[in-house]
C-alpha cells in the first residue's frame, strides 16, 4: 500500500522522516509475524497423567491401559516404568547406583524405561529431571496381572509406585487384575482396562474439582471376569498374605552367579568392583588361600565344620497363596473373589483409616451416580 504526502504543506525533511518511519514500522510488523510462526507451541491444557507399573515396560497390561487413555485425545499421557519385571520388590529405591533411562514406545505415549524399581520411576518422573512439567494430575500404576490384596501390598512394586506418588503429593491409583493362572488370557487384560476406565475418569474429574479423597491412594482390584463384575465396592485391606516358601537348591543345579546378580548393577558398576584396591584384594586372597569352600545342598549341616572351611548354600523363595481365615464381605480379597471391582483406600499412616474409608465411600457414591 503506497502512502503519499503533498509536499506543498509539509517540510520536505519531515516528509522524508515520515516515510522512513512507515518503512521501519512495516518491517517491524513482518518480523513480529515471522517470530510468531517460530514460537514453540503452548503447553497443552489437557490433564497430564503419569503411568507406571510393576511388571515392566513390555507388559501388555501397561500398553492396553495407555492406549485406552490416549484413545479420545482428552489426556496427555506419559510413561515411566521399569525396564524389567519388578513386581515383588516392595517400596525399594535405588541409592549409590546410577540408573539407566532409555526412551521407549508404549501405545504412542511419551515413554521411558528405567533400570530401577517402580518407586524409582515415579520419584524420577515427578522430580522434573526427566519430564518438563510441574506435576501430573494423577499417577496410575498398572494394569498389573495378579491381585494386590491384603498384606501382599507390602511386597508389591506396583502398589509402591502409587504410594510413592502419594508421598510426593500427587493423587494416585494402583490397578490390578485378579489373574488366574492357566485361565485368564490377553482379552481379560483389555476387559479389565474397560472396567477401570470409569473410575480413572471420575478420579481425574474430581481431582480438578478438588473433591477427590485426600491423604490416601486407591488400590483398585478388577475381578477375573472383568465385564461380568457385580459392581464397585469400597473395601478394607484384609489380613491375607502369600506364604514365603524357601527351598534349598542343589549345588549342581545352581545357576551361575550372574543369574542372581541384581539387574540394577550396570556394567560400569561391575567394572568398578573389579577395580577395587589391589592390595585389599591381595590381602583377602592370602587370608582365604587355605580355606576350602564346602557347598551344602541340605538346609542343615551335619557335623562340625573346622575353621578352614567356608559353607556356601543356595536357596530359592517361592510365593504360595495362603488360605484366608477371615471372610468378611467388606475385605478386598473376599469381594474380589465374589466378582466385585474393589476400591481399597490405603494411607501412609495407621491412624485415620476409618475417616479415610468413609471419605472414599462418600466420593465413590457420588462419582458413579452420574449426577455430576
Amino acid at each position: 500500500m503506497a502512502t503519499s504526502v503533498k509536499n506543498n504543506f509539509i517540510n520536505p525533511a519531515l516528509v522524508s522522516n515520515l516515510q522512513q518511519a512507515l518503512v521501519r514500522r512495516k518491517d517491524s510488523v513482518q518480523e513480529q509475524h515471522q517470530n510468531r510462526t517460530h514460537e514453540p507451541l503452548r503447553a497443552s491444557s489437557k490433564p497430564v497423567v503419569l503411568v507406571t507399573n510393576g511388571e515392566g515396560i513390555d507388559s501388555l497390561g501397561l500398553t492396553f491401559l495407555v492406549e485406552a487413555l490416549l484413545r479420545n485425545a482428552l489426556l496427555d499421557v506419559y510413561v515411566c516404568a521399569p525396564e524389567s519385571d519388578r513386581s515383588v520388590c516392595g517400596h525399594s529405591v535405588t541409592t549409590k547406583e546410577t540408573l539407566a533411562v532409555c526412551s521407549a514406545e508404549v501405545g504412542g505415549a511419551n515413554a521411558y524405561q528405567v533400570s530401577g524399581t517402580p518407586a524409582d520411576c515415579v520419584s524420577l518422573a515427578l522430580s522434573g529431571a526427566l519430564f518438563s512439567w510441574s506435576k501430573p494430575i494423577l499417577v496410575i500404576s498398572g494394569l498389573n496381572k495378579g491381585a494386590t490384596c491384603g498384606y501382599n501390598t507390602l511386597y508389591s512394586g506396583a502398589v509402591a509406585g502409587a504410594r510413592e506418588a502419594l508421598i510426593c503429593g500427587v493423587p494416585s491409583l494402583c490397578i490390578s487384575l485378579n489373574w488366574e493362572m492357566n485361565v485368564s488370557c490377553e482379552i481379560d487384560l483389555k476387559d479389565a482396562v474397560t472396567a477401570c476406565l470409569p473410575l480413572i475418569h471420575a478420579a481425574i474429574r474430581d481431582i480438578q474439582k478438588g473433591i477427590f479423597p485426600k491423604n490416601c491412594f486407591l488400590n483398585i482390584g478388577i475381578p477375573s471376569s472383568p465385564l461380568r463384575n457385580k459392581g464397585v465396592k469400597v473395601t478394607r485391606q484384609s489380613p491375607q498374605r502369600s506364604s514365603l516358601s524357601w527351598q534349598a537348591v542343589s549345588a549342581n543345579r545352581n545357576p551361575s552367579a550372574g543369574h542372581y546378580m541384581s539387574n540394577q548393577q550396570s556394567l560400569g558398576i561391575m567394572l568398578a568392583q573389579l577395580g577395587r584396591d589391589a592390595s585389599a584384594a591381595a590381602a583377602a586372597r592370602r587370608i582365604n588361600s587355605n580355606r576350602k569352600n564346602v557347598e551344602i545342598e541340605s538346609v542343615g549341616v551335619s557335623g562340625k565344620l573346622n575353621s578352614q572351611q567356608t559353607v556356601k548354600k543356595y536357596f530359592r523363595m517361592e510365593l504360595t497363596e495362603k488360605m484366608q481365615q477371615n471372610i468378611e464381605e467388606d475385605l478386598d480379597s473376599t469381594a474380589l473373589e465374589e466378582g466385585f471391582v474393589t476400591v481399597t483406600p490405603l494411607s501412609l499412616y495407621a491412624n485415620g483409616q476409618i475417616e479415610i474409608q468413609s471419605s472414599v465411600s462418600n466420593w465413590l457414591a457420588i462419582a458413579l451416580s452420574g449426577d455430576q
Side-chain angles (χ1 to χ4, degrees), residues 247-251 253-255 260 296-297 313-316:
Q247 301 294 329
V249 178
S250 174
R253 292 187 293 110
N254 177 60
Y260 287 104
I296 305 296
E297 296 186 11
K313 305 179 186 180
Y314 301 100
F315 295 90
R316 289 183 66 86

Side-chain angles (χ1 to χ4, degrees), residues 15-27:
V15 171
S16 176
N17 291 339
L18 180 59
Q19 289 174 336
Q20 292 177 9
L22 289 172
V23 171
R24 286 195 297 270
R25 182 177 183 277
K26 180 180 179 181
D27 292 342

Side-chain angles (χ1 to χ4, degrees), residues 9-259:
F9 302 99
I10 304 178
N11 185 288
L14 183 59
V15 171
S16 176
N17 291 339
L18 180 59
Q19 289 174 336
Q20 292 177 9
L22 289 172
V23 171
R24 286 195 297 270
R25 182 177 183 277
K26 180 180 179 181
D27 292 342
S28 176
V29 170
Q30 291 177 343
E31 182 179 356
Q32 291 176 6
H33 176 73
Q34 292 175 351
N35 289 340
R36 279 197 296 270
T37 61
H38 290 88
E39 285 179 354
L41 295 176
R42 292 184 178 180
S44 171
S45 59
K46 295 185 290 186
V48 174
V49 174
L50 171 67
V51 183
T52 190
N53 74 345
E55 297 172 352
I57 198 78
D58 295 325
S59 164
L60 282 177
L62 176 70
T63 300
F64 293 154
L65 176 60
V66 170
E67 290 174 345
L69 293 175
L70 288 171
R71 191 163 296 143
N72 296 324
L74 299 177
L75 303 170
D76 275 342
V77 181
Y78 294 78
V79 176
C80 188
E83 66 181 7
S84 59
D85 191 341
R86 304 304 300 272
S87 299
V88 197
C89 67
H91 204 119
S92 61
V93 294
T94 305
T95 61
K96 300 180 182 179
E97 293 182 16
T98 299
L99 295 181
V101 180
C102 182
S103 59
E105 174 57 38
V106 181
N110 188 353
Y112 287 93
Q113 62 183 37
V114 180
S115 61
T117 67
D120 287 330
C121 294
V122 173
S123 177
L124 173 62
L126 298 182
S127 70
L130 184 61
F131 299 115
S132 57
W133 59 29
S134 55
K135 68 177 182 179
I137 193 171
L138 178 68
V139 172
I140 304 174
S141 185
L143 174 84
N144 301 284
K145 292 193 299 184
T148 52
C149 296
Y151 295 153
N152 289 340
T153 59
L154 300 176
Y155 300 114
S156 170
V159 171
R163 187 188 298 114
E164 183 66 25
L166 180 62
I167 292 173
C168 296
V170 181
S172 59
L173 312 173
C174 178
I175 308 174
S176 301
L177 168 66
N178 188 22
W179 183 271
E180 295 184 358
M181 194 65 66
N182 301 321
V183 176
S184 298
C185 57
E186 182 177 313
I187 191 64
D188 294 318
L189 288 170
K190 292 184 177 181
D191 291 345
V193 170
T194 301
C196 71
L197 280 178
L199 285 171
I200 293 174
H201 291 303
I204 293 172
R205 178 194 66 210
D206 291 344
I207 291 169
Q208 292 175 311
K209 291 182 177 181
I211 58 175
F212 188 75
K214 304 284 194 304
N215 303 320
C216 68
F217 66 96
L218 304 185
N219 186 28
I220 299 173
I222 309 296
S224 54
S225 298
L227 299 187
R228 295 198 298 271
N229 71 80
K230 297 179 180 178
V232 181
K233 178 180 284 190
V234 177
T235 53
R236 294 185 294 116
Q237 184 179 16
S238 72
Q240 177 178 330
R241 57 159 294 201
S242 294
S243 178
L244 306 184
S245 177
W246 288 96
Q247 301 294 329
V249 178
S250 174
N252 59 7
R253 292 187 293 110
N254 177 60
S256 64
H259 178 78

